[in-house]
Amino acid sequence: MGTSRTKLPVYHTVEPVGIEFGCNGAQAAENASQPEEGATQPTEPFLLPCPPVSAPVDDPTNEKSNSTFSDGSDLYEGQYFSNKKKLKNKLTEIALKGNFEFQTRKSNNWMWVIECVNPSCNWRVRVSKIAPDSVYFVIRKYVGVHICSLLSRNSNHRQATYAVVGEHVAQQYVGGKKGPAPKGVQTIVRTNLNTKVSYYKAWRGRWHARSLIRGSPEESFDMLPSYCYMLEMANPGTATRIEVDGERRFKYFFLAFGASIRGFNYMRKVIGINETFLKGPYKGVLLVATAQNDNSKCYLIAWGIVDSENDDSWTWFLTRLKEVIGDTDELVFVLDRAQSIKNVVSIVSNNAQHGACAWHIAQNVKNTFKCSDIMGSYWKAVNVYRVEEFNGYRTEISRRYPRVFEYLDNQVGFEK
């Protein structure tokens, strides 16, 4: 005796698997399950209602979702550019402001094809020369709309090179201006180009900008002989000298303007010699010889550039200086405590008197003996003109500061 069952209508026994939305009644009937024995077949085919199909919605968190945006440029097909560099600068500026990157698909002397770095994006530009022997380029094809993901737009990308940064800030250094420091360059690029660059890239961009306006050090060295020739032509009596090594590389340079040489005849015959280190890729040392006018202001006589501070470089510089001002017993050379200068001056200018710079001696005393209380008596002794007054301060220094007195008396010499 079997269990009784409730017989359902045929259309309730249809299996959902295998039924396609939007199919006709015949296909629905074929996919339906067979009714149990004794069930009545429907005379009309059953139509399964199809649910509405909604359009796909982009998920902003999905990297594969697409969006459409313009590059915001004014480019158009048929636009001309006087050379490839100007075209490249224009496209780079567009990419930086739009925060998207492009890559080169093809490049040679007469054609340049670039496209968005996203392979699914349609943005691309194709340019070529208007003629094989021309320097002008024309845009042949331009698709300025991006369909790539918003997540692929980058604010720190490959087009922000140091050369691009330098060209953008170059006008900040026109006319001998100091211009912005690397941090200032970072701010300018972030504000104008909506792009972040590292401190190192900003530093290189600043160096490139200054080179564009003022020329590179290599170009300046190449122009040095011509510069000296023009100086001698425009300033009668000017003395210049360039010294090179065995491989014809720059070694020493000397310059004394004719007006400075003639003006020295009316100055006090006291010459200060000093040096300072140069910054830059080639380093070096700047040597100067100065006098003092009646208003106690510095008067530049001559200056030079050498590779380093040593006996050879000082001998070369002081020999050139002796050629323009002579060597008499009226001259007094005031030196710092550098031993190399002291040795050379006594050899090259043996007729002149030699003294020590009071300021340098004071710095040595403070750094060596760590006592600043002596400075009052020291400067009073330096500035007096009478021997009696000088001897009085000398006695005071010997009584109160015996170690400093020993240094001044034995190593420097009070007569200096």
Side-chain angles (χ1 to χ4, degrees), residues 162-178:
Y162 78 91
V164 171
V165 173
E167 292 174 0
H168 184 75
V169 300
Q171 295 302 315
Q172 303 288 333
Y173 302 92
V174 174
K177 297 179 183 177
K178 184 178 180 180

Side-chain angles (χ1 to χ4, degrees), residues 29 78 173 179 240 247 349 390:
Y173 302 92
T240 63
E247 299 181 4
S349 301
F390 175 80

Side-chain angles (χ1 to χ4, degrees), residues 275-290:
E275 79 290 332
T276 186
F277 294 98
L278 298 175
K279 298 180 180 179
Y282 298 102
K283 307 301 179 182
V285 179
L286 174 66
L287 310 180
V288 294
T290 60

Side-chain angles (χ1 to χ4, degrees), residues 231 235-239 255-264 299 301:
L231 282 179
N235 301 272
T238 296
L255 171 61
F257 288 102
S260 297
I261 297 173
R262 294 188 294 271
F264 179 68
Y299 180 87
I301 304 173

Side-chain angles (χ1 to χ4, degrees), residues 58-333:
D58 284 345
D59 182 3
T61 63
N62 186 356
E63 291 187 1
K64 295 184 179 179
S65 64
N66 293 337
S67 59
T68 301
F69 62 93
S70 172
D71 60 12
S73 70
D74 56 354
L75 298 179
Y76 58 88
E77 294 182 1
Q79 187 175 2
Y80 288 89
F81 291 86
S82 57
N83 54 61
K84 188 176 179 180
K85 182 179 179 181
K86 290 185 177 180
L87 171 63
K88 188 173 182 179
N89 291 342
K90 177 69 173 179
L91 291 170
T92 299
E93 181 180 354
I94 294 172
L96 291 173
K97 291 183 177 180
N99 288 344
F100 69 90
E101 298 176 298
F102 62 79
Q103 61 186 356
T104 301
R105 175 60 61 185
K106 183 177 182 180
S107 179
N108 52 41
N109 292 333
W110 60 276
M111 177 181 286
W112 189 37
V113 180
I114 61 173
E115 59 186 20
C116 181
V117 294
N118 193 321
S120 63
C121 184
N122 293 334
W123 187 93
R124 71 193 309 265
V125 181
R126 179 168 63 86
V127 298
S128 63
K129 285 185 176 181
I130 60 176
D133 57 346
S134 175
V135 296
Y136 282 83
F137 280 78
V138 61
I139 298 179
R140 303 292 185 183
K141 184 175 180 61
Y142 169 58
V143 180
V145 177
H146 290 267
I147 62 171
C148 53
S149 170
L150 292 172
L151 299 179
S152 66
R153 301 174 72 178
N154 190 4
S155 62
N156 184 19
H157 53 70
R158 67 184 71 186
Q159 268 70 53
T161 63
Y162 78 91
V164 171
V165 173
E167 292 174 0
H168 184 75
V169 300
Q171 295 302 315
Q172 303 288 333
Y173 302 92
V174 174
K177 297 179 183 177
K178 184 178 180 180
K183 285 190 176 294
V185 173
Q186 287 179 298
T187 303
I188 293 174
V189 173
R190 184 170 58 251
T191 302
N192 298 348
L193 300 180
N194 195 26
T195 303
K196 296 179 181 179
V197 295
S198 65
Y199 182 90
Y200 177 67
K201 186 177 290 186
W203 181 87
R204 294 189 66 190
R206 177 176 178 267
W207 181 264
H208 182 68
R210 297 174 67 179
S211 298
L212 291 175
I213 300 301
R214 305 170 188 174
S216 66
E218 294 81 5
E219 294 172 343
S220 298
F221 279 112
D222 290 338
M223 297 173 61
L224 192 56
S226 300
Y227 176 72
C228 292
Y229 174 78
M230 296 303 298
L231 282 179
E232 293 175 359
M233 293 296 101
N235 301 272
T238 296
T240 63
R241 180 72 67 89
I242 301 174
E243 187 84 8
V244 296
D245 59 13
E247 299 181 4
R248 304 291 300 171
R249 295 180 302 185
F250 176 86
K251 189 176 182 181
Y252 302 145
F253 173 71
F254 177 86
L255 171 61
F257 288 102
S260 297
I261 297 173
R262 294 188 294 271
F264 179 68
N265 295 326
Y266 305 96
M267 301 295 160
R268 300 171 181 171
K269 298 303 182 285
V270 179
I271 302 175
I273 303 293
N274 212 334
E275 79 290 332
T276 186
F277 294 98
L278 298 175
K279 298 180 180 179
Y282 298 102
K283 307 301 179 182
V285 179
L286 174 66
L287 310 180
V288 294
T290 60
Q292 197 175 63
N293 60 18
D294 292 339
N295 294 325
S296 299
K297 303 298 182 181
C298 289
Y299 180 87
L300 180 64
I301 304 173
W303 61 274
I305 297 175
V306 297
D307 54 354
S308 62
E309 186 184 4
N310 51 52
D311 290 354
D312 292 338
S313 60
W314 275 117
T315 301
W316 186 88
F317 176 77
L318 293 175
T319 301
R320 305 286 83 78
L321 180 64
K322 179 180 177 180
E323 293 173 356
V324 298
I325 65 173
D327 179 22
T328 65
D329 54 4
E330 295 181 348
L331 293 177
V332 177
F333 282 93

Side-chain angles (χ1 to χ4, degrees), residues 14-24 27-29 31-32 46 48-50:
V14 177
E15 295 288 343
V17 178
I19 297 179
E20 298 180 1
F21 295 119
C23 58
N24 55 30
Q27 291 172 330
N31 293 331
F46 173 72
L48 187 67
C50 299

